[in-house]
Structure formats: C-alpha cells, structure tokens
Amino acid sequence: MSSTKKKKNRGKQRKAQAAAASSPSSTKTNNGNADLRAHQLHQHLELQQKHLRYNNTFLTRSPASVVEDIRRGKDLSTQAVVALSGSAHDQIVYRQRLVDEGMIEVVLGLLKRCVNEEFMDVLVDIGGEEGDGGLAGPSVWVNILLNTTAPGNFPDPRKLDECRLQIAESIAPLANCMIDDSKREFYKNNMQWHGCIFYFVALLQNLVLTKETVASLLQYEGLADMLIQSMFWESDRPDIMKESKSHGTFVITDNFSKIAFSAGYVVQEIVDVGENGVFNKEEKKHLDFLARTPTISKAYSPDAGTTFAVGLTQLLKSKTSSVKKTHIFWIMNMLSFADCVDRSVIEGVVEFGTDIAMYEDAEPVIDTVYNMVIPSTPGNAPIPNDSRFAIAINAGLLEMCLKIVLRFEGYLDDDLVNHVTMLLHGASAVAMLKKSSEAIAKRRSLVLRMLQLSDQNAQINDKCQEIIRTIRSIVQTNTGSEAYDLNAKAICRLCYKFLENDAIKRCSRCKRATYCSRECQLDDWHGEHKRDCKHMSKQGDQVKMAGHGKRDIKKAEQHEKNVSMAGAKAFSQNIHTIMLRAIFQECNILDCVVVVDLCQAPPSIELKLVADFLSDLRMNSAENYSHTKRVVDRNRSNGSITCACHSLGVYGETDASGIPATAVLLKTFPGVSTPCGSWTAYQEQMEKDMPEDFDVYKVDPQLREEFLDELNAA
C-alpha cells in the first residue's frame, strides 16, 4: 500500500474515532457517558505522566529539532513548549531560541490551513500520527502563540514586541475562523472552534500589550464586533453556551467567563486612542462605530437593538458579568471623551451609582458621570453640558452624590471628595440654564427630603457636611426654592417681589423687565428703565442676529430669568455678610460692586471697589463697558447697590483661552428697602453695633474669610 493511501486510511480512522467519541448514538447504556469520561480521564492522567517524564529532559534538546517536531505535529514536543515557564530564566532563554529557529513561522504556517482543511487531514499530511501519536486538537498551536507572547517571556523586551507584531500581522486565517460566531468552525469543525476560542481571545489580550499591534488587528473585518459581542455571550447567546456544554470535557464552559474578561481588556486597548482626551476625525469615527456596535450579532438576532455603549451599563449592573469593572469604566470614559454617549448611557451609569455597594466603585462612577456631562472639547477646558446634566439630574444625579457620601462617610478620601465637589460645581454652573433648572425643580422635593434625613445625623463629618451644603445650595439657589414662593416665575425689577405668572407685568418694548404692578412699572420707567430699555432690547436683538433660533432665544430668556431670581436670592440671603465685608474692608458699600458667582455652590460673593470692577471689565469685556459704567455710576448717585451676577454662558461659549465664558447680569438694589432707609445708614448702624473685638477682622484677611464662611454656614 502506498504512503499516500496509508495516510488517508489513518486519517479516516482518526475521524471515525473522533466522531464516535462525540456522537450521542455511541452511548449504548445509561451510564455510557460516564464510562467514556472515566476512560478519557484515565488517558489524560497517563498522558500527563508521559509529558512529565519528557519535560525533565526537554531543555537538553536542540531548539531546531523541537521546532521540527512542532512542524510534524508531535505531541510531546508541542506540549512541552506550551508548558515552558515564564519565570524560570533558563526556560525563558530556551523559548527565545525556539523563536529564533522559526517556531512562530511554523505555527502560523499550520494555522493558515484552518479555513479550508480539516484538522485530521492536516495532521496526517504533516505526519503527526507517527511517533508519539499526534496532537489532540489544533488549539495547542494557538496556545503556543499565547504563551510565547505573555509578558516577561523573553529576555529581550524588544524581541517580544517584534514577535507580537509579527503574529498580529499574520493571523488572518485564524481570525477569520474565530470571528464568525454564527458558523463557529475551526478547521471545519465546531468542537475545535469551541476548544480554541478562549486561547484566541487570550492571545489578543497579550498582543495588544504592544500598542503597535492594535492597528494591525483592526484590519481584520469583524474582529472588534466579535470581541464586543463575546463580552455578552454568557447572557445573550444561549446557542453558544448550550453547544459548549454539549461538547463535554473537551471544552470548559467556565472559559466563557475568562473570554469575557479578556475581551473587555482588548476592547479597552482598542478604544484607547487620541491624545489627552482629544481625537481627530478618524479616531472619533472609530469610537462612534464601536459605541453603536450591537451587543448581539445581527446574524443571530437581526432585531437586536442594544448598542455597546448601552450594553456597558448593563454589564455594570449585572451581578454575574465577568468583565472587569475597571475595563468598563475605562471604555465608557473614552466613549465620553469622544462624545459617543446618549441618554440611555448617562441614565444607566447614574442608576448604577445610586445603588453601589462597594467603595472602590464610587470614584470611577463619579469620574465617568463627570466626563459624560462635562465633555472636553479640542483646545478648550471642559464645559458643563446643559442637556446632559438635565438627563443625569432627572436620573438622580444629586441623590447619587448624596447617597455615596453618606454611605461611605467613614471611608471618604480627599480624591473622592474633590471629584464629587467638581461634579456638583458643574451641576451648579448649569443650574441657571433652561433644561437643568427644570430638572432640578422636578427632583427638588425628593432631594430636600433626603437632606432633611441627613440633618438628623449629628455624626456626619465635615467633608460630608460640605458636600451636603453644596447639594442644598443647588436646589435652593435654583428658581422656586422652598425659601421663597415655590410658584415664583419672575421678580419685580423695582421692589424685588417674587411673582407668579398671573401677576407679571412686562415692559412691552424690551420684553425683559418684569413688575408686580402698573405702579412699579411706571415708577421704574421714569426712574431708571427708560435709559436701560434700549440697551436691553438691543441685547435681545443680538441673540437673534447671532443666528440663534426661537428655541435658543427662549433658552436665553429662561436663563436671564433664572439668573435674576437666583442673584436676588443670593443677595438677600447674604446681605448681612455683604455689609460686614464692606465694614471689614473699611469702604463704603456704595463704592463697591457685589460680585455673585452663581457657577459656584453655594454662590461665592465678593466685594470689589467700583474702580477695580470697571478696570477688569474694560480688559475682559470692553463691548459692555460703557453701559455697565453708566448703570454703576447711576446706582451710586441714587444710593443703590450694583450686583454683578456671573453665570455660565447660555450656548457653551468659551473665551480666548478656551475657558467656559460667563454671562454677567447687572442687578440694582435700592437702599429704600433697608430698615434704615439707605445702605449708607444701614452700614453705619451695623458698625456702631459691632463688638470691639471685630476689629481684628479688618487687619487679618484670613481670619475675616474664616469668620464670614462660618457665618454663611450657620
């Protein structure tokens, strides 16, 4: 009989044996499967002993002969290479000698045949049946690549990088087989696919440790999709899981947990593009594609609608997912930097953060939400986004922050406190904008109830108390606070009475000045508004001329109303400390401008001399200088205080340095409303009533600020 015929006959016998081992019909009794497994276990133990005896002398063999054994499908040599340690120096050196002898090229050559040939045919063709009996399956070849590319397995790290890059550029046939999770065949065999898929994904995890390999791997069409979807196989692909179990001891089903873990790591490296959160057009397109990738193959479920970005939130909430949370958070942050998140993603992360039980999840949740609602833009500082903050607040952002600090009060470190504070300051900055202010109004009653419960806990530490004060400030500074009329929609420009819709009188010319009565409207017209009306009308026209539509104009109107009311509240609530500042700084209150920063929570209040205020204005906003100077000078002569209310720009504008621009609204507070009839008389009376020991605050600015902070907190 010819050699070719012998090979064919032996191949047929091996195929028949393999088919009999995997066929249910081969079981003739109820305990047939148990007998088969016992036999397989016995063979496995015998093989282990055989390998152990061989491995004891393995390193004495020439690397060239070992590589030749691998080429011929010899089991003992092939398995011995897989078993080489990554910690023993002599074995690390031996592995590199094998690579130098062409081991990687040999293995890649064998794997090139995986698409069009069956494993038994390949094994017979290379002579694998002779000698030690050949290999059990082709996954061992992938395992060689896996172990060779593991960290620390080369004396020379540069050689390891070269090896990884070589493999990444040359595994197209292997990748094509593994990517197809519908056909699921490796060497035209389903069982071999299941036996190899774990080693393949783990190999990719090793390859991406060398950054240059990522571009090579992404050339394989469908690879990113398969990796993303494999993170969800355990929950979403019962067909794959059932098939895996049917293959018995050949495949360990637990490997699917390891697959999900490794896939999460690889995807983390795939999305790690850009520089410092800034992406070019192609990188952003790449991340957007990944974010929209379905979590289930369209071939399996054409109607699968869950995107990867949304699926990540499901993995966060899952108690059985094997994907590491650090990988999930990293991927989410990269998608956030590239502006690839939507409403469902923001809501999902906030909902997860509201119920977290582990302290180590707290900071990643806060950071992820921060990056979603305060996105970075090229060349600019992060700018709070009104729409995204509104989504997060409606999903429970303020409650989430409150629960986290109360739940982990005893563990809070400075980093977490700072990150929560930064997130809340972002919420405070957008609290004057239309969508966020409406969202805060909807959640106010629930947040206030939680705050009342926290007030009952006398043991809360100072760090938590500061965050609680910030949250309380956000819901109280926002229009309609419980400290004022909950139904208030505007404020009278003359007497500062809070107004409901049916009580509002509005200037017919500028449409911006509001009043409680006809009398106030007439008095203000003859007093001050006649001179301001033209300028206020011009501002409204500028919004239209800038190309903004009706929706944006309404945003601007709502923003102005919110700032006007919030500024009035901040001034009224802090009038005592404002007057104290003037006394401590030894200046007349009318010679100052009260600067209220509504981007802070609680709003920060500063007293600036008129000359300094106007000087800063001329430098930073020259176009508004003339009008502002006229208002300030008029107020001083009339005995009124000018209050400059700073808030975030309506349209997310930035200044020349890339910092979010602030809008400034001037408010006038007449002295006739004070108990003494004028601000000067009120200041003089307070100074007379002041204890002598208060003089120290005039000379020590640090003590002064500490005292005023304590006074505000009280």
Side-chain angles (χ1 to χ4, degrees):
M1 185 180 293
S2 69
S3 174
T4 303
K5 287 184 178 180
K6 286 182 180 180
K7 285 185 177 182
K8 287 183 177 179
N9 288 337
R10 285 196 295 269
K12 288 179 181 179
Q13 292 172 2
R14 293 287 294 272
K15 289 179 189 177
Q17 292 170 0
S22 60
S23 172
S25 60
S26 65
T27 304
K28 298 181 180 180
T29 63
N30 291 335
N31 63 350
N33 282 335
D35 292 341
L36 176 61
R37 293 177 185 237
H39 177 65
Q40 290 174 333
L41 179 61
H42 178 70
Q43 286 184 319
H44 177 69
L45 293 174
E46 282 190 343
L47 191 60
Q48 273 189 329
Q49 293 297 321
K50 187 177 181 181
H51 286 170
L52 186 61
R53 290 191 296 272
Y54 181 80
N55 290 349
N56 289 334
T57 59
F58 175 64
L59 296 183
T60 62
R61 295 194 58 192
S62 73
S65 65
V66 173
V67 171
E68 181 60 26
D69 281 355
I70 295 172
R71 188 195 307 275
R72 296 179 58 200
K74 298 298 183 180
D75 180 60
L76 286 177
S77 295
T78 304
Q79 295 288 1
V81 171
V82 171
L84 283 174
S85 168
S87 57
H89 180 71
D90 57 341
Q91 297 189 35
I92 292 174
V93 172
Y94 192 78
R95 179 185 285 106
Q96 182 159 329
R97 292 176 63 194
L98 290 172
V99 171
D100 292 340
E101 288 293 338
M103 179 180 69
I104 299 301
E105 290 81 356
V106 167
V107 173
L108 291 173
L110 294 169
L111 290 173
K112 281 183 180 179
R113 307 173 68 172
C114 67
V115 178
N116 300 316
E117 299 182 59
E118 295 185 22
F119 173 64
M120 292 301 179
D121 290 340
V122 173
L123 199 61
V124 170
D125 183 57
I126 62 177
E129 279 193 314
E130 298 177 5
D132 51 45
L135 298 174
S139 63
V140 69
W141 292 330
V142 182
N143 209 349
I144 287 177
L145 300 182
L146 168 64
N147 287 1
T148 302
T149 55
N153 277 0
F154 274 77
D156 184 355
R158 292 173 299 178
K159 187 71 176 178
L160 177 58
D161 288 338
E162 291 172 4
C163 180
R164 287 172 177 162
L165 191 58
Q166 177 190 3
I167 293 171
E169 293 172 344
S170 309
I171 56 170
L174 171 63
N176 290 336
C177 287
M178 295 294 107
I179 287 169
D180 192 348
D181 64 356
S182 297
K183 190 176 181 181
R184 298 192 292 280
E185 288 188 352
F186 183 46
Y187 287 94
K188 299 181 129 180
N189 183 281
N190 174 260
M191 182 183 288
Q192 302 293 3
W193 184 89
H194 279 273
C196 184
I197 185 64
F198 163 67
Y199 297 115
F200 173 69
V201 179
L203 169 63
L204 297 180
Q205 183 179 355
N206 282 349
L207 295 182
V208 297
L209 293 174
T210 298
K211 195 66 179 176
E212 292 76 15
T213 64
V214 173
S216 299
L217 294 174
L218 288 176
Q219 294 176 3
Y220 303 128
E221 185 177 355
L223 179 64
D225 294 41
M226 185 278 289
L227 287 166
I228 286 171
Q229 290 158 5
S230 67
M231 296 165 68
F232 301 87
W233 279 350
E234 286 183 282
S235 58
D236 294 347
R237 291 299 299 271
D239 58 325
I240 294 179
M241 302 306 294
K242 182 178 179 181
E243 202 171 67
S244 172
K245 291 178 181 178
S246 73
H247 291 314
T249 57
F250 185 80
V251 177
I252 302 173
T253 307
D254 289 346
N255 277 349
F256 285 96
S257 298
K258 300 174 184 176
I259 289 170
F261 177 90
S262 295
Y265 184 89
V266 178
V267 174
Q268 169 186 281
E269 295 304 308
I270 288 175
V271 303
D272 188 12
V273 296
E275 189 71 28
N276 296 323
V278 178
F279 308 91
N280 60 36
K281 187 176 180 180
E282 287 303 312
E283 291 167 341
K284 191 176 185 307
K285 183 178 178 181
H286 163 68
L287 290 175
D288 189 59
F289 170 79
L290 294 177
R292 297 175 186 275
T293 299
T295 57
I296 304 177
S297 169
K298 291 288 186 183
Y300 174 75
S301 178
D303 300 326
T306 302
T307 64
F308 179 46
V310 176
L312 288 169
T313 66
Q314 297 173 353
L315 291 179
L316 275 180
K317 298 175 187 177
S318 172
K319 295 182 179 179
T320 59
S321 171
S322 302
V323 183
K324 201 171 182 180
K325 285 181 182 175
T326 53
H327 297 163
I328 297 173
F329 285 125
W330 180 277
I331 296 168
M332 279 187 162
N333 280 302
M334 295 303 296
L335 298 182
S336 300
F337 292 147
D339 200 20
C340 298
V341 296
D342 57 17
R343 173 185 294 271
S344 299
V345 181
I346 296 172
E347 290 174 341
V349 178
V350 172
E351 289 167 5
F352 169 75
T354 303
D355 296 321
I356 58 173
M358 305 295 289
Y359 178 72
E360 55 264 29
D361 292 335
E363 190 168 331
V365 166
I366 294 295
D367 290 348
T368 303
V369 175
Y370 179 92
N371 290 326
M372 288 179 177
V373 298
I374 311 181
S376 298
T377 53
N380 294 327
I383 301 175
N385 183 287
D386 181 32
S387 297
R388 294 189 182 180
F389 255 113
I391 293 169
I393 291 168
N394 275 320
L397 173 66
L398 300 179
E399 299 93 307
M400 179 193 81
C401 293
L402 188 55
K403 285 184 177 180
I404 285 176
V405 297
L406 292 177
R407 183 173 297 156
F408 304 115
E409 178 200 358
Y411 307 95
L412 290 180
D413 57 26
D414 290 340
D415 284 342
L416 180 57
V417 171
N418 291 337
H419 292 185
V420 173
T421 302
M422 289 169 59
L423 178 59
L424 291 174
H425 282 173
S428 177
V430 296
M432 298 298 106
L433 303 181
K434 186 175 186 298
K435 293 181 179 179
S436 294
S437 65
E438 292 172 351
I440 292 171
K442 289 179 183 177
R443 306 292 295 193
R444 179 182 295 109
S445 58
L446 179 58
V447 176
L448 288 175
R449 284 198 297 270
M450 292 181 63
L451 289 169
Q452 288 171 357
L453 291 174
S454 70
D455 291 341
Q456 298 173 12
N457 185 355
Q459 304 301 318
I460 297 178
N461 61 41
D462 292 342
K463 292 179 180 179
C464 289
Q465 289 288 6
E466 188 62 35
I467 292 174
I468 290 171
R469 280 195 291 270
T470 301
I471 295 173
R472 179 175 280 110
S473 171
I474 291 171
V475 296
Q476 290 184 348
T477 303
N478 179 259
T479 55
S481 166
E482 85 294 342
Y484 298 86
D485 188 347
L486 284 171
N487 299 314
K489 302 297 181 184
I491 189 169
C492 179
R493 178 179 156 88
L494 188 70
C495 69
Y496 295 96
K497 178 181 177 182
F498 290 94
L499 310 173
E500 297 181 21
N501 279 333
D502 56 359
I504 296 175
K505 306 288 182 185
R506 195 179 300 273
C507 175
S508 60
R509 183 178 178 184
C510 70
K511 309 294 186 186
R512 298 171 70 194
T514 55
Y515 303 93
C516 65
S517 65
R518 178 69 174 166
E519 290 75 14
C520 278
Q521 185 172 0
L522 288 173
D523 288 346
D524 192 39
W525 177 260
H526 295 301
E528 298 177 355
H529 185 55
K530 186 175 182 178
R531 285 169 290 183
D532 293 341
C533 188
K534 184 178 179 180
H535 178 81
M536 294 172 70
S537 301
K538 183 180 177 182
Q539 283 186 329
D541 293 338
Q542 286 175 345
V543 173
K544 296 177 183 178
M545 291 172 62
H548 298 294
K550 290 183 178 180
R551 181 179 297 180
D552 288 333
I553 293 173
K554 287 185 177 179
K555 286 182 180 178
E557 292 173 348
Q558 180 68 45
H559 173 256
E560 182 179 281
K561 185 197 78 171
N562 290 344
V563 172
S564 178
M565 295 184 68
K569 292 174 185 178
F571 182 87
S572 301
Q573 289 175 330
N574 294 278
I575 187 58
H576 187 65
T577 55
I578 290 171
M579 298 304 293
L580 285 175
R581 283 185 180 278
I583 294 170
F584 293 155
Q585 292 175 214
E586 299 185 278
C587 57
N588 189 312
I589 187 65
L590 297 182
D591 293 332
C592 302
V593 173
V594 179
V595 180
V596 178
D597 186 356
L598 295 171
C599 294
Q600 301 295 320
S604 66
I605 297 178
E606 181 184 3
L607 220 56
K608 278 191 174 182
L609 291 173
V610 169
D612 294 338
F613 175 78
L614 292 176
S615 176
D616 292 344
L617 184 68
R618 186 193 289 272
M619 185 183 302
N620 300 318
S621 184
E623 66 276 10
N624 294 319
Y625 176 80
S626 296
H627 169 72
T628 303
K629 185 177 186 305
R630 187 173 66 250
V631 171
V632 172
D633 289 344
R634 185 190 65 213
N635 286 343
R636 292 175 72 189
S637 63
N638 292 342
S640 300
I641 293 177
T642 302
C643 181
C645 303
H646 290 252
S647 62
L648 193 68
V650 184
Y651 308 112
E653 309 95 326
T654 58
D655 60 20
S657 60
I659 298 173
T662 57
V664 181
L665 179 69
L666 297 178
K667 295 193 66 63
T668 300
F669 294 94
V672 294
S673 60
T674 68
C676 301
S678 74
W679 290 118
T680 302
Y682 186 36
Q683 180 177 350
E684 290 173 353
Q685 185 62 47
M686 283 188 63
E687 196 158 9
K688 286 180 183 179
D689 297 337
M690 187 177 295
E692 291 183 4
D693 58 357
F694 272 33
D695 287 343
V696 67
Y697 301 127
K698 295 180 181 180
V699 296
D700 192 326
Q702 183 176 348
L703 283 178
R704 176 200 310 158
E705 293 304 317
E706 290 175 356
F707 169 72
L708 292 174
D709 287 343
E710 291 176 3
L711 196 62
N712 285 331

